[in-house]
Amino acid sequence: MGGLTTDPAFLDTTYVVIDFESATPRGYPAQPIEVAVRALRYENRAWITAGRFHSLIRPPAFAPVTSATVPPGVTADEVRAAPEPPEAMGALDRRFTADRRYLLVAQHAATEANLIHQQRDHCPALARIDLLDTIPLAKHLLPGLPAYNLDTLLRHFAILYPADRHRATADVDVTTDVFTRLITLADESARITDLAALLKIAGRTATLNQPEHHGLFDL
């Protein structure tokens, strides 16, 4: 194996695969209606699941719940009875502790990053965690694929397509499968030797961690 999975920084990190399902009401940004996470650690040359979280989320009044906006297999009544964003996102935020290093892992991480940033008042710890995007990582390790969406990567790796695809927990699980296979590829090829190199290829800085850009004439 290569140096990536023996790198102390890599081993010291908890990788939190995250997925939101959302609805986009007219005139407003996307609103989360479901979230799932799966926390992973690499120990003794194997991936272990260190924790899970899932919640439906009741959107605000300006994003009315209809049968067309709920995730497949969920009723509008279930979403209306779900916790509101402060409760749901706050419960997730409390799963993170100050004494651990985390990276969020997502397929097309910009989507998750934007939703988290919009909810930052309810999840300040989560909103400070940087991200790793499986798409640029797959492009680096698997050049020449016809596309790099999740379905294409599932077919490439022969990962079973879940019956409840487009539910947050199912998508987290298959994204986990893609992520761990990509790490194995990186490790076996020795093309990515440590966490810093991995982040240079596929990292995304959380919006709250980015430097502020002041206007030219700010005083």
Coordinates of all heavy atoms in Angstrom, one line a residue, residues 19-110:
D19 N -25.0 13.8 3.2 CA -25.9 14.0 2.0 C -27.2 14.7 2.5 O -27.8 14.3 3.6 CB -26.3 12.7 1.3 CG -27.2 12.9 0.1 OD1 -26.6 13.4 -0.9 OD2 -28.4 12.7 0.2
F20 N -27.6 15.7 1.8 CA -28.9 16.4 2.0 C -29.8 16.0 0.8 O -29.4 15.9 -0.3 CB -28.8 17.9 2.0 CG -28.1 18.4 3.3 CD1 -26.8 18.7 3.3 CD2 -28.9 18.7 4.4 CE1 -26.2 19.2 4.5 CE2 -28.3 19.2 5.5 CZ -26.9 19.5 5.6
E21 N -31.1 15.9 1.1 CA -32.2 16.0 0.1 C -32.8 17.4 0.4 O -33.0 17.8 1.5 CB -33.2 14.9 0.2 CG -32.6 13.5 0.0 CD -31.9 13.3 -1.3 OE1 -32.4 13.9 -2.3 OE2 -30.8 12.7 -1.4
S22 N -33.2 18.1 -0.7 CA -33.6 19.5 -0.5 C -34.7 19.8 -1.5 O -35.0 19.1 -2.5 CB -32.5 20.5 -0.7 OG -32.0 20.4 -2.0
A23 N -35.4 20.9 -1.2 CA -36.4 21.5 -2.1 C -36.1 22.9 -2.4 O -35.5 23.6 -1.5 CB -37.8 21.3 -1.5
T24 N -36.3 23.4 -3.6 CA -36.0 24.8 -3.9 C -37.3 25.6 -4.2 O -37.8 25.5 -5.3 CB -35.1 24.9 -5.1 OG1 -33.9 24.1 -4.8 CG2 -34.6 26.3 -5.3
P25 N -37.8 26.3 -3.2 CA -39.0 27.1 -3.4 C -38.7 28.3 -4.3 O -37.6 28.8 -4.4 CB -39.4 27.5 -2.0 CG -38.2 27.5 -1.3 CD -37.3 26.4 -1.8
R26 N -39.7 28.7 -5.1 CA -39.6 29.8 -6.0 C -39.1 31.1 -5.2 O -39.7 31.5 -4.2 CB -40.9 30.1 -6.7 CG -40.7 31.2 -7.8 CD -42.1 31.5 -8.4 NE -42.7 30.3 -9.0 CZ -42.5 30.0 -10.3 NH1 -41.7 30.8 -11.1 NH2 -43.1 28.9 -10.9
G27 N -38.0 31.7 -5.7 CA -37.5 32.9 -5.1 C -36.7 32.7 -3.9 O -36.3 33.7 -3.2
Y28 N -36.4 31.5 -3.5 CA -35.5 31.2 -2.3 C -34.5 30.2 -2.6 O -34.6 29.4 -3.6 CB -36.4 30.7 -1.2 CG -37.4 31.7 -0.6 CD1 -38.7 31.8 -1.1 CD2 -37.0 32.5 0.4 CE1 -39.6 32.7 -0.6 CE2 -37.9 33.4 1.0 CZ -39.2 33.5 0.4 OH -40.1 34.4 0.9
P29 N -33.4 30.2 -1.8 CA -32.4 29.1 -2.0 C -32.9 27.8 -1.6 O -34.0 27.7 -0.9 CB -31.2 29.6 -1.1 CG -31.9 30.4 -0.1 CD -33.0 31.1 -0.8
A30 N -32.2 26.7 -2.0 CA -32.7 25.4 -1.6 C -32.8 25.2 -0.1 O -32.0 25.8 0.7 CB -31.6 24.4 -2.1
Q31 N -33.8 24.5 0.4 CA -34.0 24.2 1.8 C -33.9 22.7 2.1 O -34.5 21.9 1.4 CB -35.4 24.7 2.1 CG -35.7 26.2 1.9 CD -34.8 27.1 2.7 OE1 -34.7 26.9 3.9 NE2 -34.2 28.1 2.1
P32 N -33.1 22.4 3.1 CA -32.9 20.9 3.4 C -34.2 20.3 3.9 O -34.9 20.9 4.8 CB -31.8 20.9 4.5 CG -32.0 22.3 5.1 CD -32.4 23.2 4.0
I33 N -34.5 19.1 3.5 CA -35.7 18.4 4.0 C -35.3 17.0 4.5 O -36.1 16.3 5.1 CB -36.8 18.3 3.0 CG1 -36.3 17.7 1.7 CG2 -37.5 19.6 2.7 CD1 -37.4 17.5 0.6
E34 N -34.0 16.7 4.3 CA -33.5 15.4 4.9 C -32.0 15.5 4.9 O -31.4 16.0 4.0 CB -34.0 14.2 4.1 CG -33.6 12.9 4.7 CD -34.1 11.7 3.9 OE1 -34.1 11.7 2.6 OE2 -34.4 10.6 4.5
V35 N -31.4 14.9 6.0 CA -30.0 14.9 6.1 C -29.5 13.6 6.7 O -30.2 13.0 7.6 CB -29.4 16.1 7.0 CG1 -29.9 16.0 8.4 CG2 -27.9 16.1 6.9
A36 N -28.4 13.0 6.2 CA -27.9 11.8 6.8 C -26.4 12.0 6.8 O -25.8 12.6 5.9 CB -28.3 10.6 6.0
V37 N -25.7 11.4 7.8 CA -24.2 11.4 7.8 C -23.8 10.0 8.3 O -24.5 9.3 9.0 CB -23.6 12.4 8.8 CG1 -24.1 13.8 8.4 CG2 -23.9 12.1 10.2
R38 N -22.6 9.6 7.9 CA -21.9 8.4 8.3 C -20.5 8.7 8.6 O -19.8 9.2 7.7 CB -22.1 7.3 7.3 CG -21.4 6.0 7.6 CD -21.7 4.9 6.6 NE -21.0 3.7 6.8 CZ -21.1 2.6 6.0 NH1 -21.9 2.7 4.9 NH2 -20.4 1.5 6.2
A39 N -20.1 8.6 9.8 CA -18.7 8.9 10.2 C -17.8 7.7 10.1 O -18.2 6.6 10.5 CB -18.7 9.4 11.6
L40 N -16.7 7.9 9.4 CA -15.7 6.8 9.1 C -14.4 7.1 9.7 O -13.9 8.3 9.7 CB -15.5 6.6 7.6 CG -16.8 6.4 6.8 CD1 -16.4 6.5 5.3 CD2 -17.4 5.1 7.1
R41 N -13.7 6.1 10.2 CA -12.3 6.2 10.6 C -11.5 5.0 10.0 O -12.1 3.9 9.8 CB -12.1 6.2 12.1 CG -12.7 7.5 12.7 CD -12.3 7.6 14.2 NE -10.9 7.6 14.5 CZ -10.2 8.7 14.4 NH1 -10.7 9.9 14.0 NH2 -8.9 8.7 14.6
Y42 N -10.3 5.3 9.7 CA -9.4 4.2 9.1 C -8.5 3.7 10.2 O -7.6 4.4 10.7 CB -8.6 4.7 7.9 CG -7.9 3.7 7.1 CD1 -8.7 3.0 6.1 CD2 -6.6 3.3 7.3 CE1 -8.1 2.0 5.4 CE2 -6.0 2.3 6.5 CZ -6.7 1.6 5.6 OH -6.1 0.7 4.8
E43 N -8.7 2.4 10.6 CA -8.0 1.9 11.7 C -7.6 0.4 11.4 O -8.4 -0.3 10.9 CB -8.8 1.9 13.0 CG -9.2 3.3 13.5 CD -10.0 3.3 14.8 OE1 -10.3 2.2 15.3 OE2 -10.4 4.4 15.2
N44 N -6.4 0.1 11.7 CA -5.9 -1.3 11.4 C -6.2 -1.7 10.0 O -6.6 -2.9 9.8 CB -6.5 -2.3 12.4 CG -6.2 -1.9 13.9 OD1 -5.1 -1.6 14.2 ND2 -7.2 -2.0 14.7
R45 N -5.9 -0.8 9.1 CA -6.0 -1.1 7.6 C -7.4 -1.4 7.2 O -7.6 -2.2 6.2 CB -5.1 -2.3 7.2 CG -3.6 -2.0 7.5 CD -2.7 -3.1 7.0 NE -1.3 -2.8 7.2 CZ -0.3 -3.6 6.8 NH1 -0.6 -4.8 6.2 NH2 0.9 -3.3 7.1
A46 N -8.4 -0.9 7.9 CA -9.8 -1.1 7.5 C -10.6 0.1 7.9 O -10.3 0.8 8.8 CB -10.3 -2.4 8.2
W47 N -11.7 0.3 7.2 CA -12.6 1.4 7.5 C -13.6 0.9 8.5 O -14.2 -0.2 8.4 CB -13.4 1.9 6.3 CG -12.5 2.6 5.3 CD1 -12.0 2.1 4.2 CD2 -12.1 4.0 5.4 NE1 -11.2 3.1 3.5 CE2 -11.3 4.2 4.3 CE3 -12.4 5.0 6.3 CZ2 -10.8 5.5 4.0 CZ3 -11.8 6.2 6.1 CH2 -11.0 6.5 5.0
I48 N -13.9 1.7 9.5 CA -14.9 1.4 10.5 C -15.9 2.6 10.5 O -15.6 3.7 10.3 CB -14.4 1.2 11.9 CG1 -13.7 2.5 12.5 CG2 -13.4 0.0 11.9 CD1 -13.4 2.4 13.9
T49 N -17.2 2.2 10.8 CA -18.2 3.2 10.9 C -18.2 3.7 12.4 O -18.5 2.9 13.3 CB -19.6 2.7 10.5 OG1 -19.5 2.4 9.1 CG2 -20.7 3.7 10.8
A50 N -17.9 5.0 12.6 CA -17.8 5.5 14.0 C -19.1 6.1 14.5 O -19.3 6.4 15.7 CB -16.7 6.5 14.0
G51 N -20.1 6.3 13.6 CA -21.4 6.9 14.0 C -22.2 7.2 12.8 O -21.7 7.3 11.7
R52 N -23.5 7.3 13.1 CA -24.5 7.7 12.0 C -25.5 8.7 12.6 O -25.7 8.8 13.8 CB -25.3 6.5 11.6 CG -24.5 5.5 10.7 CD -25.5 4.4 10.3 NE -24.9 3.4 9.3 CZ -24.9 3.5 8.0 NH1 -25.6 4.6 7.5 NH2 -24.4 2.6 7.2
F53 N -26.1 9.4 11.7 CA -27.1 10.4 12.0 C -28.1 10.5 10.9 O -27.6 10.5 9.7 CB -26.6 11.8 12.4 CG -27.6 12.8 12.8 CD1 -28.0 12.9 14.1 CD2 -28.2 13.6 11.8 CE1 -29.0 13.9 14.4 CE2 -29.1 14.5 12.1 CZ -29.5 14.7 13.4
H54 N -29.4 10.6 11.2 CA -30.4 10.9 10.1 C -31.5 11.6 10.7 O -31.9 11.4 11.8 CB -30.9 9.5 9.5 CG -32.1 9.8 8.6 ND1 -33.4 9.6 9.1 CD2 -32.2 10.1 7.3 CE1 -34.3 9.9 8.1 NE2 -33.6 10.2 7.1
S55 N -32.1 12.6 9.9 CA -33.3 13.3 10.3 C -34.0 13.8 9.0 O -33.3 14.3 8.1 CB -32.9 14.4 11.2 OG -34.1 15.1 11.6
L56 N -35.3 13.7 9.0 CA -36.1 14.6 8.2 C -36.1 16.0 8.7 O -35.8 16.2 9.9 CB -37.5 14.0 8.1 CG -37.7 12.7 7.3 CD1 -39.1 12.2 7.4 CD2 -37.3 12.9 5.8
I57 N -36.3 17.0 7.9 CA -36.3 18.4 8.4 C -37.5 19.1 7.8 O -37.8 19.1 6.6 CB -35.0 19.1 7.9 CG1 -33.8 18.3 8.3 CG2 -35.0 20.5 8.4 CD1 -32.5 18.9 7.7
R58 N -38.3 19.7 8.7 CA -39.4 20.4 8.2 C -39.0 21.8 7.7 O -38.3 22.6 8.4 CB -40.4 20.7 9.4 CG -41.7 21.3 8.9 CD -42.5 21.9 10.1 NE -42.4 21.1 11.3 CZ -42.8 21.5 12.5 NH1 -43.4 22.7 12.6 NH2 -42.6 20.8 13.6
P59 N -39.3 22.1 6.4 CA -38.8 23.3 5.8 C -39.6 24.5 6.4 O -40.7 24.3 6.9 CB -39.1 23.1 4.3 CG -40.2 22.1 4.2 CD -40.0 21.2 5.4
P60 N -39.1 25.7 6.2 CA -39.9 26.9 6.7 C -41.2 27.1 5.9 O -41.4 26.5 4.8 CB -38.9 28.0 6.5 CG -37.9 27.5 5.4 CD -37.8 26.1 5.6
A61 N -42.0 28.0 6.4 CA -43.3 28.2 5.8 C -43.3 28.7 4.4 O -44.2 28.4 3.6 CB -44.1 29.3 6.7
F62 N -42.2 29.4 4.0 CA -42.1 29.9 2.6 C -41.8 28.7 1.6 O -41.7 29.0 0.4 CB -41.1 31.0 2.5 CG -39.7 30.7 2.8 CD1 -38.9 29.9 2.0 CD2 -39.1 31.1 4.0 CE1 -37.6 29.6 2.3 CE2 -37.8 30.8 4.3 CZ -37.0 30.1 3.5
A63 N -41.5 27.5 2.1 CA -41.2 26.4 1.3 C -42.3 25.3 1.6 O -42.0 24.3 2.3 CB -39.8 25.9 1.5
P64 N -43.5 25.5 1.1 CA -44.6 24.5 1.5 C -44.3 23.1 1.1 O -43.7 22.9 0.0 CB -45.8 25.1 0.7 CG -45.2 25.9 -0.4 CD -43.9 26.5 0.2
V65 N -44.6 22.2 1.9 CA -44.4 20.8 1.7 C -45.5 20.2 0.8 O -46.7 20.4 1.1 CB -44.4 20.0 3.0 CG1 -44.2 18.5 2.7 CG2 -43.3 20.5 3.9
T66 N -45.1 19.6 -0.3 CA -46.1 19.0 -1.2 C -45.6 17.6 -1.6 O -44.4 17.3 -1.3 CB -46.3 19.8 -2.5 OG1 -45.1 19.7 -3.3 CG2 -46.6 21.2 -2.2
S67 N -46.4 16.8 -2.1 CA -46.0 15.4 -2.5 C -44.8 15.5 -3.6 O -44.0 14.6 -3.7 CB -47.1 14.7 -3.1 OG -47.7 15.3 -4.2
A68 N -44.7 16.6 -4.3 CA -43.7 16.7 -5.3 C -42.3 17.2 -4.7 O -41.3 17.0 -5.4 CB -44.1 17.7 -6.4
T69 N -42.3 17.6 -3.5 CA -41.1 18.1 -2.9 C -40.5 17.2 -1.8 O -39.4 17.5 -1.3 CB -41.3 19.5 -2.3 OG1 -42.2 19.5 -1.2 CG2 -41.8 20.5 -3.3
V70 N -41.2 16.2 -1.5 CA -40.6 15.3 -0.4 C -39.8 14.2 -1.1 O -39.9 13.8 -2.2 CB -41.8 14.7 0.4 CG1 -42.6 15.7 1.1 CG2 -42.7 13.8 -0.4
P71 N -38.8 13.6 -0.3 CA -38.0 12.5 -0.8 C -38.9 11.3 -1.2 O -40.0 11.1 -0.6 CB -37.1 12.2 0.3 CG -37.1 13.4 1.2 CD -38.5 14.0 1.1
P72 N -38.5 10.5 -2.1 CA -39.2 9.3 -2.4 C -39.4 8.4 -1.2 O -38.5 8.2 -0.4 CB -38.4 8.6 -3.5 CG -37.0 9.2 -3.3 CD -37.2 10.5 -2.8
G73 N -40.6 7.8 -1.1 CA -40.9 6.9 0.1 C -41.3 7.7 1.3 O -41.5 7.0 2.4
V74 N -41.4 9.0 1.3 CA -41.7 9.8 2.5 C -43.0 10.5 2.1 O -43.2 11.0 1.0 CB -40.6 10.8 2.8 CG1 -41.1 11.7 4.0 CG2 -39.3 10.1 3.2
T75 N -43.9 10.6 3.1 CA -45.1 11.4 2.9 C -45.0 12.8 3.3 O -44.1 13.2 4.1 CB -46.3 10.7 3.7 OG1 -46.1 11.0 5.1 CG2 -46.4 9.3 3.4
A76 N -45.8 13.7 2.7 CA -45.8 15.1 3.1 C -46.1 15.3 4.6 O -45.5 16.1 5.2 CB -46.8 15.9 2.2
D77 N -47.0 14.4 5.1 CA -47.3 14.5 6.5 C -46.1 14.2 7.4 O -45.9 14.8 8.5 CB -48.4 13.6 6.9 CG -49.8 14.1 6.4 OD1 -49.9 15.3 6.1 OD2 -50.7 13.3 6.3
E78 N -45.2 13.3 7.0 CA -44.0 12.9 7.8 C -43.1 14.1 7.8 O -42.5 14.4 8.8 CB -43.4 11.7 7.2 CG -44.1 10.4 7.4 CD -43.4 9.2 6.8 OE1 -43.2 9.3 5.5 OE2 -43.1 8.2 7.4
V79 N -42.9 14.8 6.7 CA -42.1 16.0 6.6 C -42.6 17.1 7.5 O -41.9 17.8 8.2 CB -41.8 16.4 5.2 CG1 -41.0 17.7 5.1 CG2 -41.1 15.3 4.4
R80 N -44.0 17.3 7.4 CA -44.6 18.4 8.2 C -44.4 18.1 9.7 O -44.4 19.0 10.5 CB -46.1 18.5 7.9 CG -46.3 19.0 6.4 CD -47.8 19.3 6.2 NE -48.1 19.5 4.8 CZ -48.7 18.7 4.0 NH1 -49.0 17.5 4.5 NH2 -48.9 19.0 2.7
A81 N -44.3 16.8 10.1 CA -44.1 16.5 11.5 C -42.7 16.4 11.9 O -42.4 16.2 13.1 CB -44.8 15.1 11.8
A82 N -41.8 16.6 11.0 CA -40.3 16.5 11.3 C -39.9 17.7 12.1 O -40.5 18.8 12.1 CB -39.6 16.4 10.0
P83 N -38.7 17.6 12.8 CA -38.2 18.8 13.5 C -37.8 19.9 12.5 O -37.4 19.6 11.4 CB -36.9 18.2 14.2 CG -36.6 16.9 13.4 CD -37.9 16.4 12.9
E84 N -37.9 21.1 13.0 CA -37.6 22.3 12.2 C -36.0 22.4 12.1 O -35.3 21.7 12.9 CB -38.2 23.5 12.8 CG -39.7 23.5 12.7 CD -40.3 24.8 13.3 OE1 -39.6 25.5 14.0 OE2 -41.5 25.1 12.9
P85 N -35.5 23.2 11.2 CA -34.1 23.2 11.0 C -33.2 23.5 12.3 O -32.2 22.8 12.5 CB -33.9 24.4 10.0 CG -35.1 24.3 9.2 CD -36.2 24.0 10.1
P86 N -33.6 24.4 13.2 CA -32.8 24.6 14.4 C -32.7 23.3 15.2 O -31.6 23.0 15.7 CB -33.6 25.7 15.2 CG -34.3 26.4 14.1 CD -34.7 25.4 13.1
E87 N -33.7 22.6 15.3 CA -33.7 21.3 16.1 C -32.9 20.2 15.4 O -32.0 19.6 16.0 CB -35.1 20.8 16.4 CG -35.1 19.6 17.3 CD -36.5 19.1 17.5 OE1 -37.5 19.8 17.2 OE2 -36.7 18.0 18.1
A88 N -33.2 20.0 14.1 CA -32.6 18.9 13.4 C -31.1 19.2 13.2 O -30.2 18.4 13.4 CB -33.2 18.8 12.0
M89 N -30.7 20.4 12.7 CA -29.3 20.7 12.4 C -28.6 20.9 13.8 O -27.4 20.6 13.8 CB -29.2 22.0 11.6 CG -29.9 21.9 10.2 SD -29.2 20.5 9.2 CE -27.5 21.1 9.1
G90 N -29.2 21.4 14.8 CA -28.6 21.5 16.1 C -28.2 20.1 16.7 O -27.2 19.9 17.2
A91 N -29.1 19.1 16.5 CA -28.9 17.8 16.9 C -27.7 17.2 16.2 O -26.8 16.5 16.8 CB -30.1 16.9 16.7
L92 N -27.6 17.4 14.9 CA -26.4 17.0 14.1 C -25.1 17.7 14.6 O -24.1 17.1 14.8 CB -26.6 17.2 12.7 CG -25.4 17.0 11.7 CD1 -24.9 15.5 11.9 CD2 -25.8 17.2 10.3
D93 N -25.2 19.0 14.8 CA -24.0 19.7 15.2 C -23.4 19.3 16.5 O -22.2 19.3 16.7 CB -24.4 21.2 15.3 CG -23.3 22.2 15.2 OD1 -22.6 22.1 14.2 OD2 -23.0 22.9 16.1
R94 N -24.3 18.8 17.4 CA -23.8 18.4 18.7 C -23.1 17.0 18.7 O -22.4 16.6 19.6 CB -25.0 18.3 19.7 CG -25.5 19.6 20.1 CD -26.5 19.5 21.3 NE -27.8 18.9 20.9 CZ -28.8 19.5 20.3 NH1 -28.7 20.8 20.1 NH2 -29.9 18.9 20.0
R95 N -23.1 16.4 17.5 CA -22.3 15.1 17.4 C -20.8 15.4 17.2 O -20.0 14.5 17.3 CB -22.9 14.3 16.2 CG -24.3 14.0 16.3 CD -24.6 13.0 17.4 NE -24.0 11.7 17.2 CZ -24.6 10.7 16.5 NH1 -25.9 10.9 16.1 NH2 -24.0 9.5 16.4
F96 N -20.5 16.6 16.9 CA -19.1 16.9 16.6 C -18.4 17.5 17.9 O -19.0 18.3 18.6 CB -19.0 18.0 15.5 CG -19.5 17.5 14.2 CD1 -20.8 17.7 13.8 CD2 -18.7 16.7 13.3 CE1 -21.3 17.2 12.6 CE2 -19.1 16.2 12.1 CZ -20.5 16.5 11.8
T97 N -17.2 17.0 18.2 CA -16.5 17.4 19.4 C -15.3 18.2 19.0 O -14.7 18.0 18.0 CB -16.1 16.2 20.2 OG1 -15.3 15.4 19.5 CG2 -17.4 15.4 20.7
A98 N -14.9 19.1 19.9 CA -13.8 20.0 19.6 C -12.4 19.3 19.6 O -11.5 19.9 19.1 CB -13.8 21.2 20.7
D99 N -12.4 18.1 20.2 CA -11.0 17.5 20.3 C -10.7 16.5 19.1 O -9.8 15.8 19.1 CB -10.9 16.7 21.6 CG -12.0 15.6 21.7 OD1 -13.0 15.7 21.0 OD2 -11.8 14.8 22.6
R100 N -11.6 16.6 18.1 CA -11.3 15.7 16.9 C -11.2 16.5 15.6 O -11.8 17.6 15.5 CB -12.5 14.7 16.7 CG -12.4 13.5 17.7 CD -13.3 12.4 17.2 NE -13.1 11.2 18.1 CZ -12.2 10.3 17.9 NH1 -11.3 10.4 17.0 NH2 -12.1 9.2 18.7
R101 N -10.5 15.9 14.7 CA -10.3 16.5 13.4 C -11.3 15.8 12.4 O -11.4 14.6 12.4 CB -8.9 16.4 12.8 CG -8.8 16.9 11.4 CD -7.4 16.6 10.8 NE -7.4 17.0 9.4 CZ -6.5 17.7 8.8 NH1 -5.5 18.1 9.6 NH2 -6.5 18.0 7.6
Y102 N -12.1 16.6 11.7 CA -13.1 16.1 10.8 C -12.9 16.6 9.4 O -12.4 17.7 9.2 CB -14.5 16.5 11.3 CG -14.9 16.0 12.6 CD1 -14.8 16.8 13.7 CD2 -15.5 14.7 12.8 CE1 -15.2 16.4 15.0 CE2 -15.9 14.3 14.1 CZ -15.7 15.1 15.2 OH -16.1 14.7 16.4
L103 N -13.4 15.8 8.4 CA -13.5 16.3 7.1 C -14.9 15.8 6.6 O -15.2 14.6 6.8 CB -12.5 15.7 6.1 CG -11.2 16.5 5.9 CD1 -10.3 15.7 5.0 CD2 -11.5 17.9 5.2
L104 N -15.7 16.6 6.0 CA -16.9 16.2 5.4 C -16.6 15.7 4.0 O -15.8 16.2 3.3 CB -17.9 17.4 5.3 CG -18.3 18.1 6.6 CD1 -19.3 19.2 6.3 CD2 -19.0 17.1 7.5
V105 N -17.3 14.6 3.6 CA -17.1 13.9 2.3 C -18.4 14.0 1.6 O -19.5 13.6 2.2 CB -16.6 12.5 2.5 CG1 -16.5 11.8 1.1 CG2 -15.3 12.5 3.2
A106 N -18.5 14.4 0.4 CA -19.7 14.5 -0.4 C -19.5 14.4 -1.9 O -18.4 14.7 -2.4 CB -20.4 15.8 -0.1
Q107 N -20.5 13.9 -2.5 CA -20.5 13.9 -4.0 C -21.0 15.2 -4.5 O -22.1 15.6 -4.1 CB -21.4 12.7 -4.5 CG -21.6 12.7 -6.0 CD -20.4 12.1 -6.8 OE1 -19.5 11.5 -6.2 NE2 -20.5 12.1 -8.1
H108 N -20.2 16.0 -5.2 CA -20.5 17.4 -5.6 C -20.7 18.2 -4.3 O -21.8 18.6 -3.9 CB -21.7 17.5 -6.5 CG -21.8 18.8 -7.1 ND1 -22.8 19.7 -6.7 CD2 -21.1 19.5 -8.0 CE1 -22.6 20.9 -7.4 NE2 -21.6 20.7 -8.2
A109 N -19.6 18.4 -3.6 CA -19.6 18.9 -2.2 C -20.1 20.4 -2.2 O -20.5 20.8 -1.1 CB -18.2 18.9 -1.6
A110 N -20.1 21.1 -3.3 CA -20.6 22.4 -3.3 C -22.1 22.5 -2.9 O -22.5 23.5 -2.2 CB -20.5 23.1 -4.7

